[in-house]
Amino acid sequence: MPPFDVPEGDPFGPHNLPYGVFSPPGSSERTVGVRLGDHVLDAGAAAHALGSPYASLLARPTLNPLLAAGRTAWSDVRRALTAWVTVPAHRETVEPLFHPLSEVTLHLPFEVADYVDFYASENHARNVGRMFRPDAADSLTPNWKHLPIGYHGRAGTVVVSGTDVVRPSGQRKAPTDAAPVFGPSVRLDIEAEVGFVVGVPSELGRPVPLGDFRDHVFGLCLLNDWSARDVQAWEYVPLGPFLGKSFTTSVSAWITPLDALDEARVAPPERTHGLLPYLDDAAEEPGGYDLRITVTVNGHVVSEPPFSTMYWTAAQQLAHMTVNGACLRTGDLYGSGTVSGPTERERGSLLELTWNGRDPLELPDGKRTFLEDGDVVTLSAWAPGPDGVRVGLGEVTGRVVPAV
């Protein structure tokens, strides 16, 4: 089907237009692309052909120049792209610049500057607390409802969807073992998350307030925070996640601009604790997003986590990670933390779905507590869009391969 003739209701229609970076068939050159249905538009070539002043931002091998350009440029480019793919007068010029999605090579869409991961789902945090602190009076840690808990990850191991995930090795020690051992992780897990991509940097020493969220954050994507639970359990006291997390983080090849998700904005869950002023969003626009995520293992649906249940919003996370004066850089990526809903079918990790391995999942190809070599995990999602149309998010897929 020609790219201009996207079926009505397609989740990647002209109401969406996510950005990525691709190589055309038979070429190793990378350039910015925009997805429309099952095609990719060479955005730089289109901008040049139509005389756009933003051609220099789009004819690049990475999204970073566009990310750094700021909100006015983001809006102008999006408005122009929408016209290029919908106005009949542009069809003759633009249509030859599309490539079938199945024939291009997709790349990591931006150069990741720093990577931070949060822990923002109350359902997930309570599940973890019940598993590992069963005798505690409260399944949440004392600070959990006062600040968004997070840790700094490793930007260099963020990979694009479709990249194989090598089973990590590390130290592990079961409670009954006399001493730690070294070897491949035997409790490899996933975490279904949403990642937020920073465009405009900030000045060192100047916190970013809640109201400036959309001036700095360009868009979002799905993110899988692969986790070696056995390595993590042995190493995380007292400084938190390290090698159990840093080996691989997978992100979608497509970044959905925030402007495509206006109809998906929702209020976060009711807060039961007073918030300090820099986190108090009562007077701000709704900070949550209604994203419906699906997790599959080897093609079998195992969970459908709802992002709308997340206690801490992306704006609060941004405000918190800069409140000490830490600066933002173009290409910073921060993850929401595992997305888990209130029911068993809505848990965003195998740790929760199997209750730390106690209750194996029944899959068509056998039982699973944690991931086996050869397993393929895919995250997909959609959000409500204009006039009832869905906004599709680019999927994230990874296949587990044996440790080296």
Side-chain angles (χ1 to χ4, degrees):
M1 178 176 292
F4 266 70
D5 301 324
V6 176
E8 185 176 352
D10 190 302
F12 290 97
H15 62 288
N16 189 344
L17 302 180
Y19 294 87
V21 168
F22 77 101
S23 293
S27 172
S28 61
E29 296 295 320
R30 302 184 180 195
T31 191
V32 172
V34 174
R35 180 172 176 179
L36 181 67
D38 57 2
H39 285 74
V40 182
L41 173 66
D42 184 331
H48 177 75
L50 293 167
S52 168
Y54 294 107
S56 62
L57 297 180
L58 297 173
R60 297 294 187 92
T62 176
L63 286 175
N64 289 59
L66 176 61
L67 299 181
R71 192 172 179 183
T72 297
W74 303 341
S75 297
D76 289 348
V77 170
R78 179 171 171 77
R79 191 178 306 112
L81 283 164
T82 302
W84 298 346
V85 302
T86 58
V87 175
H90 295 315
R91 183 165 187 156
E92 183 177 353
T93 301
V94 173
E95 196 161 54
L97 304 177
F98 279 97
H99 300 272
L101 180 60
S102 60
E103 297 180 7
V104 305
T105 301
L106 298 175
H107 304 284
L108 188 66
F110 62 100
E111 297 171 7
V112 182
D114 284 309
Y115 171 52
V116 174
D117 197 31
F118 284 96
Y119 187 50
S121 165
E122 181 175 356
N123 297 300
H124 175 67
R126 287 198 179 278
N127 286 337
V128 171
R130 292 183 186 113
M131 274 185 267
F132 296 110
R133 298 184 301 277
D135 298 326
D138 189 345
S139 54
L140 295 178
T141 54
N143 61 347
W144 198 91
K145 288 200 171 182
H146 294 279
L147 56 85
I149 296 172
Y151 70 91
H152 283 271
R154 194 173 183 89
T157 55
V158 176
V159 301
V160 71
S161 173
T163 305
D164 284 346
V165 178
V166 178
R167 183 179 296 274
S169 294
Q171 286 194 31
R172 61 180 191 272
K173 179 184 178 298
T176 56
D177 291 343
V181 298
F182 179 86
S185 170
V186 297
R187 296 167 69 85
L188 183 59
D189 198 0
I190 58 111
E191 289 189 346
E193 302 193 20
V194 174
F196 292 83
V197 180
V198 171
V200 176
S202 65
E203 183 180 344
L204 183 66
R206 288 187 175 272
V208 176
L210 287 169
D212 289 356
F213 166 71
R214 295 189 68 164
D215 292 330
H216 290 274
V217 174
F218 173 79
L220 56 77
C221 62
L222 291 178
L223 181 152
N224 189 344
D225 178 28
W226 304 88
S227 302
R229 298 299 186 187
D230 42 1
V231 176
Q232 180 184 0
W234 173 234
E235 72 177 2
Y236 86 103
V237 177
L239 293 181
F242 186 35
L243 301 183
K245 296 277 195 176
S246 63
F247 57 96
T248 307
T249 301
S250 298
V251 296
S252 170
W254 300 105
I255 309 302
T256 303
L258 294 185
D259 285 347
L261 295 166
D262 285 343
E263 285 78 9
R265 297 298 291 263
V266 293
E270 182 180 358
R271 276 53 182 275
T272 56
H273 288 58
L275 298 177
L276 291 171
Y278 79 96
L279 291 172
D280 188 352
D281 59 355
E284 303 293 333
E285 63 178 338
Y289 284 94
D290 182 9
L291 311 178
R292 323 289 179 87
I293 302 171
T294 298
V295 182
T296 67
V297 178
N298 301 332
H300 180 73
V301 176
V302 298
S303 180
E304 295 181 306
F307 192 72
S308 60
T309 62
M310 300 296 275
Y311 189 89
W312 295 106
T313 70
Q316 289 172 318
Q317 291 167 338
L318 189 75
H320 184 65
M321 70 183 188
T322 61
V323 74
N324 66 345
C327 60
L328 300 173
R329 295 195 293 169
T330 298
D332 280 356
L333 171 69
Y334 64 100
S336 62
T338 305
V339 182
S340 289
T343 70
E344 291 185 15
R345 185 69 173 180
E346 297 174 324
R347 295 170 179 171
S349 66
L350 295 180
L351 178 72
E352 297 167 88
L353 288 166
T354 70
W355 209 252
N356 197 26
R358 184 193 69 189
D359 306 319
L361 293 178
E362 297 281 353
L363 301 181
D365 54 348
K367 294 182 178 181
R368 291 291 188 283
T369 52
F370 293 93
L371 295 173
E372 298 181 3
D373 292 346
D375 283 346
V376 176
V377 178
T378 299
L379 311 181
S380 57
W382 62 273
D387 302 318
V389 177
R390 294 182 176 186
V391 176
L393 273 64
E395 69 176 28
V396 178
T397 294
R399 178 173 64 99
V400 179
V401 298
V404 296

